[in-house]
Amino acid sequence: MIALALTLALAPTPQAIDVEGQVKLANGRPGGLAAVWLEGNAKGKPLAKAMIDQRDRTFIPHVAVVPVGTRVDFPNNDTVMHNVFADYNAKILDLKAYGRGASRNVVFDKEGLVVLQCNMHSEMGAFIMVVDTPYYAVADKNGRFMIKDVPAGKYVVHGWHESKQTSKEDRIISAGSTLNLSLARRRN
């Protein structure tokens, strides 16, 4: 259910809606940790702070969404060395090996999916979806998500899951509607 955000002001303001919904995978199971974003007229502003931590040979969080231009910090709070690397927009991102207490950062300047890895620990992996919109969320383990303060209107709704299931559809966002996404395997 979409909750209506009330604004107290002297002049009328556009209606802002908290968009709630759920992501389902092709097999009907919840799309936990799916990225969801709404593409429309508004462009995203870089976040003041974003971070992918490294602890217990794990990237935390496993999935993140950030607007274009956001600097993401990669601190190593683990007991071992790590090397963050990825293929991002046809460029190799390689932060070289660094130990506990050190940090590296990258500004993500183009839209797209960043698949993070550590070349020292093959079990480590994470994802950053870089979007050009202020309206995005990562679904919880049950596939539920909320995107706050969305102006009512027409959007292209995107969903992405690490299982390579995606969704892209035109939707009208208005008070009282729910945004449920069914993802399907991408065809190459």
Side-chain angles (χ1 to χ4, degrees), residues 25-71:
L25 300 177
N27 63 8
R29 292 189 176 150
L33 300 181
V36 179
W37 66 100
L38 309 177
E39 181 184 347
N41 293 330
K43 298 295 181 188
K45 294 179 183 172
L47 296 176
K49 184 176 182 178
M51 180 176 69
I52 304 288
D53 199 356
Q54 298 163 90
R55 290 179 188 266
D56 301 322
R57 296 185 185 185
T58 304
F59 289 113
I60 302 168
H62 183 65
V63 176
V65 181
V66 300
V68 169
T70 297
R71 179 183 123 169

Side-chain angles (χ1 to χ4, degrees), residues 73-168:
D73 294 324
F74 295 94
N76 183 350
N77 289 302
D78 211 338
T79 57
V80 296
M81 301 277 286
H82 288 295
N83 176 359
V84 178
F85 76 98
D87 183 353
Y88 169 63
N89 281 314
K91 294 188 300 189
I92 298 298
L93 166 72
D94 185 350
L95 302 185
K96 308 293 182 200
Y98 58 104
R100 181 179 184 88
S103 186
R104 304 280 196 272
N105 64 70
V106 175
V107 174
F108 291 98
D109 58 356
K110 293 185 173 99
E111 291 179 89
L113 177 64
V114 182
V115 180
L116 298 172
Q117 297 175 303
C118 173
N119 71 359
M120 301 173 122
H121 306 100
S122 61
E123 71 275 14
M124 289 179 67
F127 305 90
I128 302 173
M129 183 62 73
V130 183
V131 299
D132 197 12
T133 177
Y135 311 118
Y136 56 85
V138 175
D140 68 14
K141 66 180 180 179
N142 297 312
R144 292 187 300 260
F145 66 90
M146 179 185 287
I147 304 173
K148 293 190 161 288
D149 300 325
V150 178
K154 185 176 180 181
Y155 294 88
V156 177
V157 179
H158 296 265
W160 171 90
H161 189 266
E162 70 179 286
S163 63
K164 297 185 180 176
Q165 296 182 56
T166 63
S167 175
K168 179 180 177 182

